[in-house]
Amino acid sequence: MDLRLFLRLGLMLLASFSWLGCPSGAGSGGVVEEEANTGDAAFADAQEFDTGELPEGLAIADLNGDGDADLITANASSNDVSVLLGVGDGTFGAATEFSTGNVPRSVAVGLLNADAFLDLVTANGVGDNVSVLLGVGDGTFGAATAFAADDGARGVALADVDDDDELDIVVANFVDNSVSVLLGVGDGTFAAAQTFTVVDTAPNPDLGGAPFDVAVADLDDDDAPDIVTANLVGEEGVSVLMGNGDGTFGTPSIVETDSAQSVEIADFDGDTIPDLVLANPSGDTVTVLLGVGDGTFGTVVTYDTGDRPTSVVTADLDGDGELDLATGNFNSDDISVLLGAGDGSFGTALAAGGFNAPWAMAVDDLDGDGALDLVTSNPTTDDVSVLLNER
């Protein structure tokens, strides 16, 4: 069996079964079907643009400094990233590929050296490493440099976790049940990875874990960034590792939720304290956790989405000044939009269809009209879908 077929079968298995080995029985009740009309955020029909093979990771940034948003995908089968330069009207040029390590699962964008050009990092599922591609400033990149992570590198984030004004790499290691932290030197290179456990299964082998996604923010207002992972196995859906401010992290605390594949951090209720939202593929829901301010969270609240939400993003999609949620739903070939009330609660999910098994999702203003647009990566069809917001 070739790698491409193996990876596609893995995606289908992930979309069809829960990680307890049972078919998902949760329905998508509470989802209102709409024709690309999600409340006051009305989206045009999706446009597709080709990428490399099996695009799983997705990011948006202005890579060539022309003021227009560009798209980046991490392509797990062709072992590269695709860069699609934006025209400024919501359309994109043909993809250009740049090689990475083996099976890149996710991609992050940031300034990793002193040249003011955006750089890329991918987490590579085979080889247990990350690839760093330094930007030239015109949308092209130099050869990838590998830095070791740990077993099953899956999600990646960039943040300054040791207060030296240099971006560091944080990697969620799916197989090893850990995160790797690689401290940046400032010239595009990184120190050897430090590894921190996400779920300690030593005292109880029945515990889950398998961190799939990672996000970084200061959860307790101590000026030290903290790490949050979305865990795909079991009911240990969220791990929180409080930062010490020097690039090290404490013992994980667990928040029990449905298994989670994607996590975002934002302030949903206007109290200036970071909150969490998770995409729960086995439950066909999103989970919202309102922050208390000390790194802990209030009551778990869930909202129905479409079938198998594999990603979640947060943005003000309807222009009312409140953050909303959007999920990409792999099995139902659609997205769900949940409009925020501003108090940490969200309305019934509204669905826009016509997608091809959306996997990752990103949000930005792609056509310069001031309204935030959505993009999904579609690994089963080797493309991305662009939804322009016409509110």
Side-chain angles (χ1 to χ4, degrees):
M1 181 184 298
D2 65 31
L3 177 61
R4 180 179 173 84
L5 178 58
F6 176 79
L7 292 170
R8 288 197 187 280
L9 288 174
L11 283 176
M12 299 308 293
L13 178 65
L14 180 64
S16 299
F17 292 90
S18 78
W19 281 92
L20 296 177
C22 303
S24 172
S28 56
V31 179
V32 178
E33 294 292 335
E34 297 283 350
E35 285 298 324
N37 183 3
T38 49
D40 291 326
F43 292 96
D45 291 340
Q47 308 172 75
E48 276 73 43
F49 299 89
D50 291 339
T51 67
E53 296 176 2
L54 212 74
E56 291 190 18
L58 176 64
I60 303 177
D62 179 8
L63 299 177
N64 60 352
D66 65 353
D68 298 321
D70 310 309
L71 306 182
I72 311 100
T73 63
N75 308 314
S77 182
S78 50
N79 297 327
D80 52 28
V81 291
S82 293
V83 172
L84 295 83
L85 297 180
V87 177
D89 60 359
T91 64
F92 296 84
T96 302
E97 276 70 51
F98 301 90
S99 295
T100 66
N102 290 328
V103 192
R105 299 289 195 180
S106 57
V107 61
V109 184
L111 295 170
L112 303 180
N113 57 8
D115 64 2
F117 303 139
L118 288 173
D119 311 304
L120 305 179
V121 179
T122 64
N124 305 319
V126 174
D128 307 328
N129 59 26
V130 296
S131 294
V132 173
L133 294 84
L134 298 181
V136 177
D138 59 358
T140 65
F141 295 85
T145 302
F147 297 90
D150 220 317
D151 198 4
R154 188 88 202 199
V156 65
L158 295 174
D160 179 10
V161 299
D162 60 351
D163 196 30
D164 66 351
D165 296 323
E166 308 294 351
L167 285 178
D168 311 306
I169 301 174
V170 182
V171 186
N173 302 308
F174 183 80
V175 176
D176 194 53
N177 230 2
S178 68
V179 291
S180 294
V181 176
L182 295 82
L183 299 181
V185 176
D187 60 358
T189 65
F190 294 84
Q194 307 171 78
T195 299
F196 302 92
T197 298
V198 166
V199 177
D200 185 4
T201 58
N204 183 358
D206 293 331
L207 290 177
F212 204 96
D213 193 18
V214 63
V216 182
D218 181 6
L219 301 177
D220 58 353
D221 197 29
D222 65 352
D223 296 323
D226 311 304
I227 293 175
V228 179
T229 63
N231 305 324
L232 195 59
V233 174
E235 296 179 351
E236 295 74 31
V238 180
S239 295
V240 178
L241 293 81
M242 304 306 294
N244 297 316
D246 59 358
T248 64
F249 294 84
T251 302
S253 59
I254 306 299
V255 181
E256 291 191 359
T257 71
D258 283 340
S259 60
Q261 186 166 332
S262 176
V263 59
E264 289 284 314
I265 304 175
D267 179 14
F268 297 126
D269 56 359
D271 64 357
T272 73
I273 297 172
D275 310 309
L276 306 182
V277 62
L278 311 165
N280 310 119
S282 63
D284 300 336
T285 59
V286 289
T287 295
V288 175
L289 297 161
L290 298 182
V292 176
D294 59 359
T296 65
F297 297 87
T299 303
V300 173
V301 179
T302 60
Y303 298 89
D304 291 338
T305 65
D307 191 354
R308 286 277 162 173
T310 54
S311 56
V312 62
V313 295
T314 179
D316 180 10
L317 298 174
D318 59 353
D320 67 351
E322 310 296 352
L323 288 177
D324 312 306
L325 307 178
T327 64
N329 308 314
F330 188 85
N331 278 6
S332 49
D333 293 329
D334 60 12
I335 65 169
S336 297
V337 172
L338 296 84
L339 298 179
D343 59 359
S345 66
F346 295 86
T348 300
L350 303 169
F355 291 84
N356 300 313
W359 187 257
M361 179 176 278
V363 59
D364 207 331
D365 180 6
L366 303 179
D367 56 359
D369 66 354
L372 293 173
D373 310 304
L374 297 174
V375 183
T376 67
S377 67
N378 309 316
T380 65
T381 51
D382 298 336
D383 57 23
V384 293
S385 294
V386 173
L387 275 83
L388 298 180
N389 191 340
E390 297 185 327
R391 66 166 174 81

